[in-house]
Amino acid sequence: MSIALAKGQNTTLSDPSLQVTVDVAGTMELCALLLSATGRVRAHTDLVCAASPVADGVSWHAATVDVPSHLTIALDVVPADVARVLAVVSFDAAAHSLAVAPTARVHTGGGGELFTFTMTGLRGERALIAWEFYRRDGAWKLRAVGQGYDGGLPELALAHGTTAPAAPAAPAVSSRAHRGLRAPGETAGPAVAQPPQAWSGPDVGTGVAGSPAPVDAQTEEQLYDLSWSIYEDAARSTAAYKSATSYAEQRRDDELSAVFADPATRNSPLTHAKQATAESRYDDLVRRAEADYRRDMGQLLGEVRELRASLPPTMAHWESHVWRGWNPPTRNAVAVRVGDLYGGDAPELLLPMLVRLPLTTPLWIDSGSGNRDAARAAARALMIRLLASCPPGGITIHVGDPVGAGAALRSLAPLTGSAAGMGVGGSADTPQQLAELLNTLVARVDLTRMARGGNAMDMLAVRETPAQHVLVLHDFPYGLDERAVGQLRYLLELGPMAGVGVVVVADPADVIGASPLISVMWQAFLRLSAVPDDHIGDPWVGLRWTYVPDVVGDTGAMQQVLARLATG
């Protein structure tokens, strides 16, 4: 019996020889992309289609009278430098005009159907990624994707580092009439669905004293992408577990309702036997769901251990050995760590929460509920990470601290007393100083916009250094008049394109009931609590995750970074 997968769901593959078809109510072209760990093709020949039908372990086959056009994939032949294989379908017409939603299918090498995926909810797409075959922990897995591209195969190919052929070598045909690769009368082979996977514990390791080997930019990109792919798998695995247990409970309730529906037989031996059967079936389903979930959590546990052991300093925990012997980097970091995440059903499994650099999403560190000191400590830790993320002179931190009268900046000593300045732009401690600081940052954004519009960015690069500026504003919106609030909103909307990021440390109670403009601004931030809190919702299945802030107290690594930066 084949297994129907939902969008985003994944499963483990046991058969290395597979075939892929897609049912479309219209003409279509089936293709495959072989991708490296960077998410891009190794060469243009990694696009497998009618015009280029063979690549390493993947081949395209034209339709015949009995068999639709299809892809064959030999996973045990796919080279080690190929991390993913995408099965792609493109259509002549926009997806919303299709009479029936396309259905993607995966078969065994002998034609038995293993998995199906019906791609519903389509709009103007002309190409779709149907399946993703990907390596995870030494095994191949399959994910139902359904990601669409309005620009069709050319746009999809370009997004993965190649170009689509101008015209196929053979005519595209409809595969709607073919439900699979089985011969008439043949039954599908059995398949066992295995849910997604989960994640793991701290990166504190003992390590070896001395400066660790640097991580190149491409590897950092891969680590960043891997962290979020594991997070996605954890989310989907947790959702699958909750869905399975909910189904078991609903099934038991429905069976018991039917058993007790007739008052005349409620106390009969047969009724008691049926009740016991329903309860036993429920217990069995829950045990199986829990076993699958724990198995998957254990698998991702190992993956996260490997991930944490490979993280560079700005992505690693402050207690990680990679901070030992730290020196300023020679290039900008890809991301910084702001804390950890864990799901309610697996609190022992911590996943590092990374934020992309330069800051394109404004951050809100919540100082409410009496957590002002903890919030300021979290902001200090973030400022040190940001300063450690760039070469000397590559970033400037601007601090607005009218209530603390400059305490936030003083917390960065000995850095603030260094002759080099080392990335600190001073502290704006009065409304007038805040206004001047906002004027300066807005002027930078305006200048960048004009330079970009006049195709003169090369001249701007000479005049405007460093490349990144971050405004850390404490006790928002205190000290800001209406004009200053408008300028801050301008920075939130257009600052990232000029290398200007925003972090505020504030109590939501000071925002709720404030002016409409301030209320709208609140919605633009990614909220980070100063204490553990389950307010993070993932974008895949909507589960709530507990966020644990990066640090509350001081660490030796922080002092080491500040001292090293102060020496220039």
Side-chain angles (χ1 to χ4, degrees):
M1 181 180 68
S2 66
I3 305 296
L5 299 182
K7 184 174 182 178
Q9 190 174 357
N10 59 10
T11 186
T12 301
L13 295 168
S14 57
D15 192 335
S17 299
L18 302 169
Q19 298 178 354
V20 174
T21 62
V22 178
D23 300 343
V24 176
T27 57
M28 67 96 185
E29 183 178 12
L30 190 59
C31 305
L33 283 165
L34 283 70
L35 306 179
S36 68
T38 64
R40 300 174 73 81
V41 298
R42 301 165 302 165
H44 292 301
T45 53
D46 282 344
L47 173 60
V48 180
C49 57
S52 179
V54 179
D56 297 326
V58 182
S59 58
W60 176 91
H61 303 269
T64 65
V65 175
D66 298 322
V67 179
S69 62
H70 60 279
L71 299 168
T72 59
I73 304 176
L75 296 176
D76 53 350
V77 178
V78 174
D81 61 345
V82 174
R84 296 187 291 154
V85 177
L86 304 183
V88 172
V89 61
S90 61
F91 339 97
D92 283 349
H96 65 75
S97 66
L98 298 176
V100 180
T103 297
R105 304 178 187 277
V106 174
H107 316 262
T108 65
E113 189 174 277
L114 293 175
F115 305 102
T116 64
F117 168 39
T118 300
M119 294 173 278
T120 58
L122 304 178
R123 296 179 176 84
E125 301 93 335
R126 292 179 180 271
L128 293 169
I129 299 174
W131 299 113
E132 176 188 17
F133 301 83
Y134 64 102
R135 299 180 193 268
R136 182 59 56 81
D137 198 25
W140 280 96
K141 301 194 72 176
L142 172 72
R143 177 181 284 116
V145 181
Q147 180 181 353
Y149 291 79
D150 293 355
L153 186 58
E155 180 185 359
L156 188 154
L158 186 62
H160 295 89
T162 187
T163 56
V173 298
S174 170
S175 67
R176 181 61 199 162
H178 304 278
R179 300 298 299 175
L181 296 177
R182 299 190 302 274
E186 181 184 357
T187 58
V192 179
Q194 299 185 15
Q197 316 174 12
W199 35 326
S200 158
D203 50 338
V204 174
T206 57
V208 179
S211 179
V215 177
D216 60 57
Q218 181 174 329
T219 301
E220 275 196 43
E221 287 280 0
Q222 293 171 5
L223 292 171
Y224 176 82
D225 292 341
L226 177 60
S227 71
W228 286 106
S229 68
I230 295 174
Y231 176 28
E232 180 178 359
D233 277 355
R236 297 195 186 284
S237 183
T238 303
Y241 167 66
K242 290 180 178 293
S243 176
T245 54
S246 177
Y247 166 77
E249 183 175 354
Q250 184 62 51
R251 177 173 176 171
R252 178 194 59 183
D253 292 346
D254 290 344
E255 290 178 349
L256 292 178
S257 295
V259 166
F260 295 116
D262 186 354
T265 60
R266 283 178 185 171
N267 293 318
S268 68
L270 179 60
T271 296
H272 294 318
K274 290 181 177 180
Q275 179 183 3
T277 299
E279 294 287 359
S280 176
R281 185 179 291 115
Y282 166 78
D283 292 340
D284 181 58
L285 289 173
V286 170
R287 277 195 301 269
R288 287 162 54 189
E290 289 177 345
D292 288 344
Y293 183 61
R294 290 302 166 189
R295 177 204 62 209
D296 294 338
M297 291 294 113
Q299 182 177 343
L300 283 181
L301 192 77
E303 293 182 29
V304 174
R305 286 198 184 102
E306 293 181 5
L307 170 67
R308 290 177 180 273
S310 304
L311 291 174
T314 56
M315 296 184 188
H317 193 278
W318 281 111
E319 299 298 333
S320 173
H321 72 278
V322 298
W323 286 105
R324 298 177 186 176
W326 177 87
N327 285 304
T330 57
R331 57 171 179 78
N332 293 342
V334 169
V336 295
R337 178 200 195 107
V338 294
D340 290 287
L341 292 168
Y342 69 84
D345 295 283
E348 73 279 9
L349 302 175
L350 290 173
L351 184 68
M353 182 174 178
L354 307 176
V355 175
R356 188 79 184 194
L357 293 179
L359 288 179
T360 56
T361 300
L363 304 179
W364 180 295
I365 301 177
D366 190 343
S367 63
S369 303
N371 294 315
R372 186 169 183 268
D373 290 343
R376 294 176 78 87
R380 175 178 180 270
L382 176 59
M383 286 190 287
I384 298 173
R385 281 193 183 272
L386 291 171
L387 290 169
S389 71
C390 297
I395 188 171
T396 293
I397 305 292
H398 307 271
V399 182
D401 191 16
V403 176
L409 184 61
R410 291 193 298 274
S411 71
L412 296 180
L415 182 59
T416 54
S418 67
M422 289 311 299
V424 178
S427 181
D429 303 332
T430 67
Q432 181 180 357
Q433 291 173 343
L434 276 177
E436 293 172 354
L437 174 56
L438 289 171
N439 285 336
T440 299
L441 295 176
V442 166
R444 174 182 172 82
V445 175
D446 287 339
L447 187 60
T448 302
R449 293 183 67 195
M450 288 188 290
R452 180 165 288 138
N455 197 26
M457 289 299 292
D458 55 337
M459 297 178 61
L460 179 67
V462 174
R463 297 176 57 188
E464 288 290 306
T465 58
Q468 295 186 49
H469 293 253
V470 177
L471 169 62
V472 180
L473 182 58
H474 287 264
D475 299 300
F476 171 78
Y478 183 85
L480 300 180
D481 58 19
E482 186 175 349
R483 180 175 182 273
V485 170
Q487 288 179 312
L488 183 60
R489 183 178 182 183
Y490 180 79
L491 293 178
L492 295 178
E493 294 177 350
L494 299 176
M497 55 83 68
V500 178
V502 176
V503 178
V504 301
V505 185
D507 184 345
D510 295 333
V511 174
I512 298 173
S515 71
L517 181 57
I518 293 177
S519 298
V520 170
M521 289 170 58
W522 152 261
Q523 300 172 14
F525 288 87
L526 170 62
R527 174 178 165 251
L528 304 175
S529 56
V531 295
D533 186 74
D534 64 343
H535 68 284
I536 298 288
D538 69 67
W540 301 287
V541 294
L543 291 178
R544 291 172 69 89
W545 297 84
T546 296
Y547 168 75
V548 181
D550 181 37
V551 71
V552 176
D554 205 347
T555 70
M558 290 183 188
Q559 292 301 323
Q560 174 188 328
V561 170
L562 291 176
R564 180 64 184 85
L565 288 173
T567 62

